[in-house]
């Protein structure tokens, strides 16, 4: 049973600190319109899409910091961002959008939502779990900071897989399922969202895979050269070497985890040189359940990366190589939920 779907990673290039959200939203609408011409049904935008990657900065006032967040319970009604959702509805394209969320209680989250064009509403929300970086800035004034731990709270929604309606034809519904007939791999697509650093943690992928996820989506803002954050090495790298290493690791974790969890994945970069100083890698890609790159970005600017995927291709891995029900041995994995940091064996 073919379950084909045309998807896109909407890579977004440089955004300066003083770039307005309205200007960014117009760029996103342009990408969405390009997607419509290519019959795309699902577009994924990057992490913190609407502004420059503000956690690199230390702000003088709470008022200035808050301009980088979206406030209120429903982002689809945000004055600056509503035109994007209106266009998505008009073009009948689902979108996944990352942004800084400020809750009514004042908590900050690094958030992503899936807007369903057919339902005209948000059908799932994810808040970033694995926050990298530091609370306090580095003492070196030339360092590029990563202050997500200062501005965000770790996500409290877990890794909820969900089904998205209206994306594939002839999807089996609960009301149409025949009694006694298996519906596995026949319903609406099962999706999951992550954000940036989450992609480096296999636990996140596996939790989605245990819910049958067929497509995992994530945006990122990944520094091309952040020596202070990652620490020094015996062989220091040039900026060019550091960027290639960051690109290698970004692609490595996407391909490996797509294969090990038998799912498609879409990664999408907020990239380019912000304010002429802060360089972010590109590398947006669509990867198959066998770990192959189906399409990837060729630039470091605004670019639509399009691919047609067939969700039925997930069945090979899910039912054979990684048939969890037959092969997983949870009685041996006890340390995973019981222990956070490393505890070495006793010295000899």
């Amino acid at each position: 049973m073919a379950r084909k779907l045309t998807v896109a990673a909407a890579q977004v290039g440089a955004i300066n600190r003083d770039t307005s959200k309205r200007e960014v939203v117009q760029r996103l609408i342009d990408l969405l319109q390009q997607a419509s011409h290519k019959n795309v049904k699902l577009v994924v935008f990057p992490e913190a899409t609407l502004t420059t990657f503000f956690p690199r900065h230390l702000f003088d006032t709470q008022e200035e910091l808050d301009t980088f967040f979206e406030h209120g319970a429903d982002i689809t009604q945000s004055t600056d961002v509503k035109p994007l959702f209106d266009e998505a509805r008009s073009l009948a394209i689902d979108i996944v959008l990352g942004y800084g969320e400020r809750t009514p209680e004042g908590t900050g989250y690094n958030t992503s939502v899936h807007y369903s064009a057919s339902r005209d509403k948000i059908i799932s929300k994810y808040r970033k779990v694995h926050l990298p970086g530091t609370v306090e800035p580095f003492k070196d004034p030339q360092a590029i900071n990563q202050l997500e731990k200062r501005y965000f709270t770790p996500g409290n929604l877990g890794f909820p897989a969900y089904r998205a309606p209206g994306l594939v034809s002839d999807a089996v519904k609960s009301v149409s399922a025949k009694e006694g007939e298996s519906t596995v791999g026949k319903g609406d697509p099962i999706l999951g969202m992550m954000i940036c650093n989450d992609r480096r943690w296999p636990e996140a992928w596996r939790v989605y895979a245990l819910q049958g996820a067929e497509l995992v989506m994530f945006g990122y803002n990944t520094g091309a050269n952040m020596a202070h954050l990652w620490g020094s090495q015996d062989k220091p790298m040039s900026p060019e070497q550091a960027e290639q290493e960051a690109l290698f690791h970004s692609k490595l974790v996407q391909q490996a985890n797509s294969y090990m969890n038998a799912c498609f994945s879409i990664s999408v970069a907020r990239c380019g040189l912000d304010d002429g100083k802060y360089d972010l890698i590109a590398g947006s890609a669509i990867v198959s359940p066998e770990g192959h790159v189906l399409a990837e970005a060729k630039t470091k600017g605004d670019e639509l990366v399009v691919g047609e995927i067939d969700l039925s291709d997930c069945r090979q891995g899910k039912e054979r190589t990684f048939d969890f029900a037959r092969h997983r041995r949870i009685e041996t994995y006890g340390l995973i939920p019981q222990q956070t940091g490393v505890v070495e064996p006793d010295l000899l």
Side-chain angles (χ1 to χ4, degrees):
M1 178 182 175
R3 297 162 68 228
K4 294 183 178 180
L5 171 65
T6 302
V7 298
Q11 179 173 283
V12 178
I15 298 175
N16 296 327
R17 181 168 172 170
D18 62 356
T19 302
S20 70
K21 288 181 183 177
R22 291 189 178 186
E23 181 180 337
V24 174
V25 166
Q26 185 55 58
R27 288 165 60 182
L28 306 186
I29 289 174
D30 291 344
L31 288 165
L32 204 55
Q33 291 171 343
Q34 292 177 38
S36 178
H37 294 313
K38 297 180 181 294
N39 298 314
V40 172
K41 295 299 181 185
L42 171 64
V43 171
V44 184
F45 291 105
E47 172 191 28
T49 315
L50 302 172
T51 67
T52 197
F53 189 62
F54 64 88
R56 64 168 70 100
H57 298 293
L58 189 65
F59 294 94
D60 295 327
T61 67
Q62 184 68 35
E63 182 181 14
E64 183 183 10
L65 172 62
D66 280 345
T67 64
F68 292 90
F69 284 86
E70 289 300 308
H71 303 258
D74 186 359
I75 190 176
T76 66
Q77 300 307 306
S78 166
T79 301
D80 292 328
V81 195
K82 187 176 185 297
L84 176 64
F85 293 103
D86 290 344
E87 188 70 9
R89 182 183 66 251
S90 175
L91 297 175
I93 298 176
D94 282 24
I95 62 173
V96 171
L97 179 72
Y99 63 98
E101 176 194 9
R102 180 74 75 199
T103 69
E105 297 75 30
T107 306
Y109 292 106
N110 191 336
T111 296
S112 181
V113 293
H114 184 134
Y115 169 81
S116 167
S118 64
R119 296 282 176 87
D120 188 24
K121 67 178 183 178
I122 301 296
I123 59 171
S124 188
K125 174 184 282 189
Y126 171 75
R127 290 169 173 162
K128 186 174 181 178
V129 169
H130 301 99
L131 299 178
T134 60
V135 174
E136 298 299 330
F138 295 112
K139 293 182 180 180
D140 183 352
Q142 299 304 313
I144 296 175
N145 290 295
Q146 222 295 13
L147 301 175
E148 284 194 62
K149 290 185 184 296
R150 185 183 188 92
Y151 298 134
F152 298 127
T153 296
N156 59 356
L157 302 177
F159 298 97
Y162 61 97
R163 291 193 188 270
L167 294 181
V168 299
S169 59
D170 302 322
V172 174
K173 308 287 187 180
S174 59
V175 295
S176 62
K178 298 179 181 178
E179 186 175 356
E181 181 182 9
S182 173
T183 61
V184 174
K186 299 177 182 178
D188 289 296
I190 304 173
L191 311 181
M193 292 181 282
M194 296 190 293
I195 299 175
C196 195
N197 193 42
D198 292 320
R199 73 195 193 273
R200 306 183 193 276
W201 298 87
E203 296 92 334
W205 292 82
R206 185 49 49 93
V207 171
Y208 276 132
L210 286 169
Q211 299 171 80
E214 299 166 304
L215 173 61
V216 173
M217 306 162 291
F218 53 90
Y220 56 91
N221 285 244
T222 297
N225 184 14
M226 300 188 71
H228 286 76
L229 182 65
W230 303 121
S232 61
Q233 297 183 348
D234 293 336
K235 296 180 180 179
M237 297 181 182
S238 69
E240 293 75 20
Q241 291 172 324
E243 181 172 10
Q244 288 305 308
E245 187 78 350
L247 280 165
F248 167 73
H249 287 143
S250 183
K251 187 179 291 186
L252 171 67
V253 295
Q254 183 178 4
Q255 290 182 258
N257 282 289
S258 293
Y259 169 67
M260 290 185 290
N261 295 285
C263 63
F264 287 94
S265 63
I266 301 173
S267 66
V268 54
R270 205 0 306 282
C271 58
L273 193 64
D274 292 5
D275 292 303
K277 177 180 179 181
Y278 305 103
D279 201 10
L280 300 169
I281 67 168
S284 305
I286 301 170
V287 170
S288 79
E290 295 296 321
H292 298 292
V293 177
L294 304 179
E296 61 183 320
K298 296 177 174 60
T299 73
K300 288 186 72 172
D302 293 8
E303 181 181 352
L304 195 72
V305 180
V306 179
E308 183 184 70
I309 62 177
D310 186 344
L311 298 174
S312 66
D313 291 346
C314 297
R315 304 321 308 165
Q316 164 72 25
K318 291 185 184 300
E319 296 173 358
R320 293 174 175 82
T321 309
F322 299 106
D323 183 342
F324 292 165
R326 286 194 298 137
H327 302 312
R328 292 187 78 237
R329 291 293 174 261
I330 60 174
E331 68 275 11
T332 68
Y333 310 150
L335 283 182
I336 291 177
Q338 295 173 6
Q339 183 176 312
T340 303
V342 174
V343 179
E344 295 184 348
D346 293 338
L347 292 173
L348 296 178

